Amino acid sequence: MTTPDADGLLAEQLLRLTRRVHRIQKRHLERSGLDITPAQSRLLRTLTHYGSPPRMADLAERLEVVPRAVTTLVDGLEASGRVRRVPDPSNRRVIRIELTDEGRTALRELRGARRAAAEEILAPLTDEQREILGGLLNTLVDGVDTTTGAGRG
């Protein structure tokens, strides 16, 4: 069992790692020349999880942000031609958001930038360490011990 001080140190290390990951990903995004923010990148990636164009409210819920934040992101992505607003076929008051061809191209380039950032971040680790880290991160993200399937807390 860890002591409160050790837990505090682990929490601080995780926060520092998160900030480092964000800095590195942002730098790789800037180098890509896509002129896209990390939040816009996240919205584009989120769109790929839907079988059909989602409503703005669906995106806000999935991104865990207020609907106004999604409107701002969609406005920027629409201005750059990466998404478009389309009417819902069954309810004309509802607007859905769909990826354009430019959006799909941007996603491919974003994946490359994210991959390069991940390679930079993980470079000091061996394959075995990466596998262990992946398992530990899954446990923390899911709140489940992946070796036994038992939930924690």
Side-chain angles (χ1 to χ4, degrees), residues 5-50:
D5 288 337
D7 287 345
L9 176 61
L10 282 172
E12 180 59 31
Q13 288 173 309
L14 286 170
L15 291 172
R16 287 177 46 216
L17 176 61
T18 300
R19 288 191 295 266
R20 181 168 183 254
V21 167
H22 283 281
R23 275 193 317 272
I24 290 171
Q25 285 185 339
K26 185 176 179 183
R27 188 176 72 240
H28 282 272
L29 271 179
E30 289 168 354
R31 285 182 186 165
S32 73
L34 287 172
D35 191 29
I36 193 166
T37 68
Q40 289 173 331
S41 169
R42 186 170 172 233
L43 188 139
L44 285 176
R45 289 191 320 272
T46 300
L47 283 170
T48 65
H49 295 283
Y50 292 92

Side-chain angles (χ1 to χ4, degrees), residues 50-112:
Y50 292 92
S52 61
R55 299 172 308 138
M56 300 271 261
D58 299 330
L59 288 169
E61 184 177 329
R62 186 136 197 183
L63 293 168
E64 297 178 345
V65 299
V66 296
R68 177 71 190 121
V70 172
T71 300
T72 302
L73 293 173
V74 168
D75 288 347
L77 289 168
E78 188 175 40
S80 67
R82 294 180 176 130
V83 300
R84 69 177 144 253
R85 288 173 166 92
V86 295
D88 184 289
S90 61
N91 183 346
R92 65 182 181 174
R93 293 174 299 180
V94 174
I95 298 297
R96 296 189 174 269
I97 307 304
E98 76 178 5
L99 274 172
T100 62
D101 289 340
E102 291 87 355
R104 286 182 197 78
T105 298
L107 271 170
R108 282 191 294 278
E109 293 179 35
L110 287 168
R111 284 186 189 108

